Amino acid sequence: MSLKIWLDGNLIDKENAKISVYDHGLLYGDGVFEGIRAYAGRIFKPHEHLRRLYDSAKAIRLVIPLSPEQFLAAIQQTVKANDFTDCYIRAVVTRGVGYLGLNPAKCSNPSVFIIADTIEMYPREHYEKGMALITASVIRNHPNALSPRIKSLNYLNNILAKIEAADAGVPEAIMLNHDGNVSECTADNIFIVRDGVVYTPTTHDGILEGVTRGTILELCRKLALPFAEKTLQRHDLYTADECFITGTGAEVVPVTKLDGRPIARGEVGQITRRLMEAFHKHVREG
Ligand code: PXG
């Protein structure tokens, strides 16, 4: 059976789910998106994801032609139509069909599509033994150019860093911001543990405010683990006791090596393990 895609109000077969070559989402990366998961038949943190989607749209002055309630209903309909209980959901809003010029005012209607499918970001092994990262030479977008808080369809900044990771033979890269501080990875937020305290960069350090990041901070509170949002330098990563990354696709992945240097003894940390376990329990049981 063919996958059903929600496209502008209709559920249609994947083979027929097509967008115009005149859509500004394609011509200019003019649009926004979300990556969401469903666990055990329930959409995980739908309101947080939708809030970020509508905030991203607002930031690029795009009006989503659905209310958040209608959007959520469309997501649920898409998951149901494909008989998924556990899946990855991609919700995309493009500026719509326009002319061969930048002006978004000339685009008729924004286009909305929703894909529900499976995703496996990294091999199992990385979750058990830890992953190696590099620091990319390309820096994260300056917030006054294109804010990293916007989940836009223009991911070239991250893609260039991802290529550097692949060139170095590792699955992910850390990106520094314009001040040289740590921001995030190409599709994941970063955390370290030092002397029993969990740290992650602040929203002012040029990051996307990850829903998974928020969940980890919530779990730290619940588990009475001390934590802080703090500006971090690469030095803080090199001298950390533990490190891990978080994202909807990746979930929680331990990091054991950075730029060829082992983090602490190069083993998955105890607090990282506790948070990974708590995360998996939380997404299924709430
Ligand atoms: N930073 C960036 C730049 C991201 O794109 C995150 C952090 C983590 O945010 P969440 O809310 O997911 O915890 C993301 C998330 C993909 C893919 O297809 C990308 C993301 C999520 C899922 C899949 O590569 N980006």
Side-chain angles (χ1 to χ4, degrees):
M1 199 189 78
S2 173
L3 214 61
K4 296 272 188 249
I5 314 289
W6 196 99
L7 175 57
D8 294 327
N10 304 303
L11 277 170
I12 56 177
D13 287 342
K14 179 180 169 181
E15 294 71 33
N16 300 322
K18 293 183 177 147
I19 286 274
S20 166
V21 293
Y22 279 81
D23 191 306
H24 280 208
L26 176 63
L27 287 175
Y28 301 114
D30 188 353
V32 292
F33 77 102
E34 272 300 314
I36 310 170
R37 268 187 193 264
Y39 294 100
R42 279 182 307 165
I43 314 284
F44 183 63
K45 302 238 167 143
H47 304 295
E48 287 82 346
H49 281 290
L50 284 171
R51 181 143 203 232
R52 189 171 66 188
L53 182 71
Y54 281 76
D55 283 348
S56 291
K58 190 170 188 187
I60 68 158
R61 304 187 64 177
L62 172 66
V63 178
I64 298 177
L66 299 170
S67 69
E69 293 75 27
Q70 288 170 323
F71 211 116
L72 179 55
I75 291 172
Q76 281 162 338
Q77 192 191 356
T78 313
V79 173
K80 222 173 177 179
N82 292 289
D83 281 330
F84 279 123
T85 52
D86 291 69
C87 65
Y88 172 76
I89 300 147
R90 173 64 53 89
V92 183
V93 187
T94 75
R95 186 75 68 178
V97 173
Y99 298 90
L100 297 179
L102 263 68
N103 191 357
K106 291 196 172 167
C107 295
S108 47
N109 293 303
S111 209
V112 179
F113 61 88
I114 303 164
I115 305 168
D117 208 339
T118 52
I119 188 175
E120 200 192 325
M121 293 274 286
Y122 301 119
R124 207 63 247 158
E125 191 191 336
H126 292 323
Y127 293 85
E128 285 151 17
K129 297 198 178 127
M131 168 188 283
L133 304 179
I134 55 140
T135 311
S137 71
V138 60
I139 63 163
R140 193 77 178 93
N141 282 330
H142 193 293
N144 291 338
L146 176 64
S147 175
R149 295 173 78 173
I150 304 171
K151 203 161 164 67
S152 87
L153 290 183
N154 192 323
Y155 254 55
L156 271 176
N157 182 213
N158 313 55
I159 289 165
L160 291 177
K162 190 83 173 178
I163 292 170
E164 286 187 42
D167 285 345
V170 299
E172 246 302 14
I174 287 170
M175 303 178 79
L176 305 178
N177 66 17
H178 55 281
D179 289 325
N181 296 320
V182 176
S183 63
E184 58 182 341
C185 296
T186 70
D188 311 287
N189 291 112
I190 187 148
F191 286 77
I192 59 163
V193 182
R194 169 88 172 184
D195 294 335
V197 184
V198 178
Y199 296 101
T200 195
T202 76
T203 51
H204 293 153
D205 292 318
I207 63 163
L208 184 80
E209 291 175 70
V211 172
T212 320
R213 172 184 179 276
T215 306
I216 290 294
L217 295 177
E218 208 179 286
L219 290 172
C220 284
R221 204 169 292 129
K222 220 158 129 186
L223 298 173
L225 291 170
F227 67 92
E229 294 172 70
K230 188 173 164 253
T231 297
L232 299 174
Q233 297 181 320
R234 198 150 58 148
H235 177 83
D236 296 310
L237 306 192
Y238 289 152
T239 57
D241 298 327
E242 302 183 25
C243 182
F244 58 93
I245 61 175
T246 66
T248 297
E251 301 178 304
V252 186
V253 196
V255 175
T256 48
K257 204 185 227 188
L258 172 59
D259 297 327
R261 309 166 182 225
I263 291 175
R265 275 182 297 177
E267 291 163 6
V268 178
Q270 283 311 307
I271 291 176
T272 303
R273 269 192 210 288
R274 263 185 85 187
L275 284 167
M276 285 172 76
E277 272 168 38
F279 179 81
H280 289 291
K281 199 161 176 281
H282 176 75
V283 297
R284 293 188 180 279
E285 296 166 16

